[in-house]
Amino acid sequence: QMTMEEAEYILRKDQTIKNAAFVSFYNATIEYGSNALENVVWYGVTEQFNQVQDVEIAHGRYISSSEFGDATNVLLMGYENAVKLFEKPERAVGKTIQMAGQKCRVVGVIKQTGRSRVGGWDFDNIVLVSANFCKKVANFRKLESFIIVQGREGITPDDVKGDIRAALRASRRLSPKRE
């Protein structure tokens, strides 16, 4: 299980890493008026997420730095989710929806991308919130989580992987022989 503190530690201590973001995820029903979407995957992410994984906004804006820090009840909605709840995705911006027992304001709709055939993100059908907001509304320790990174230019993926492993061992105070 990864932590937000470990993502920050990797970013501070690892010279091969340009950006690192913490990501946790959960499924929830989102509602607007009499419309509901069940089992929507929502990701709680740290502010650096958009620097590691490009998120293009079709309508509205990205979550602000202060909203990330203050755990504000705002979110980015995937394009298809916005169509399903509001018919036209641009109508979603500024609306308040119900998610995980919380009222949340939609600040942006992610540009339609389609589903990747080789895995990756399905931005059309997700919701993005700040990891701090996620901590507020979910049993954070039980959520699945991971860290995504962007290596510095000219650094091989194997070097980045080795350096992350070393940084995580140091942050967890593990000897080089322990997993």
Side-chain angles (χ1 to χ4, degrees):
Q1 188 77 352
M2 300 291 177
T3 67
M4 286 193 299
E5 293 76 21
E6 287 173 329
E8 292 167 7
Y9 185 85
I10 288 169
L11 193 54
R12 264 192 340 267
K13 298 289 186 182
D14 193 329
Q15 299 301 311
T16 63
I17 301 297
K18 183 175 180 180
N19 289 301
F22 172 82
V23 180
S24 62
F25 58 97
Y26 192 67
N27 287 9
T29 298
I30 57 175
E31 302 170 82
Y32 179 76
S34 61
N35 296 333
L37 299 176
E38 294 182 4
N39 292 317
V40 174
V41 176
W42 54 287
Y43 291 94
V45 300
T46 53
E47 189 172 354
Q48 299 79 9
F49 182 78
N50 197 33
Q51 296 166 3
V52 180
Q53 179 65 52
D54 189 34
V55 179
E56 291 185 56
I57 305 299
H59 306 284
R61 61 175 175 81
Y62 196 69
I63 301 168
S64 73
S65 186
S66 63
E67 290 165 338
F68 271 105
D70 296 341
T72 306
N73 294 23
V74 298
L75 60 85
L76 294 175
M77 184 173 281
Y79 191 91
E80 291 300 322
N81 286 339
V83 168
K84 290 172 190 169
L85 283 180
F86 301 99
E87 292 183 28
K88 295 186 177 183
E90 60 272 17
R91 291 182 183 164
V93 177
K95 298 291 192 298
T96 300
I97 67 164
Q98 188 82 12
M99 182 179 80
Q102 300 285 316
K103 291 182 178 183
C104 299
R105 186 170 43 90
V106 180
V107 296
V109 175
I110 301 168
K111 183 179 176 184
Q112 188 173 26
T113 59
R115 186 163 181 92
S116 171
R117 292 182 184 190
V118 291
W121 301 95
D122 180 12
F123 283 125
D124 292 343
N125 293 293
I126 67 168
V127 169
L128 284 181
V129 298
S130 77
N132 286 328
F133 170 75
C134 191
K135 277 173 86 170
K136 215 169 57 167
V137 300
N139 187 344
F140 203 61
R141 294 182 194 270
K142 291 189 176 185
L143 297 182
E144 294 290 327
S145 61
F146 54 94
I147 296 171
I148 59 174
V149 300
Q150 176 187 29
R152 295 196 183 277
E153 197 158 323
I155 307 295
T156 68
D158 285 340
D159 287 342
V160 170
K161 185 177 176 181
D163 287 353
I164 290 170
R165 178 175 279 129
L168 286 173
R169 286 181 177 287
S171 77
R172 295 173 179 176
R173 294 178 168 73
L174 295 175
S175 70
K177 294 181 181 179
R178 287 189 54 206
E179 281 296 319

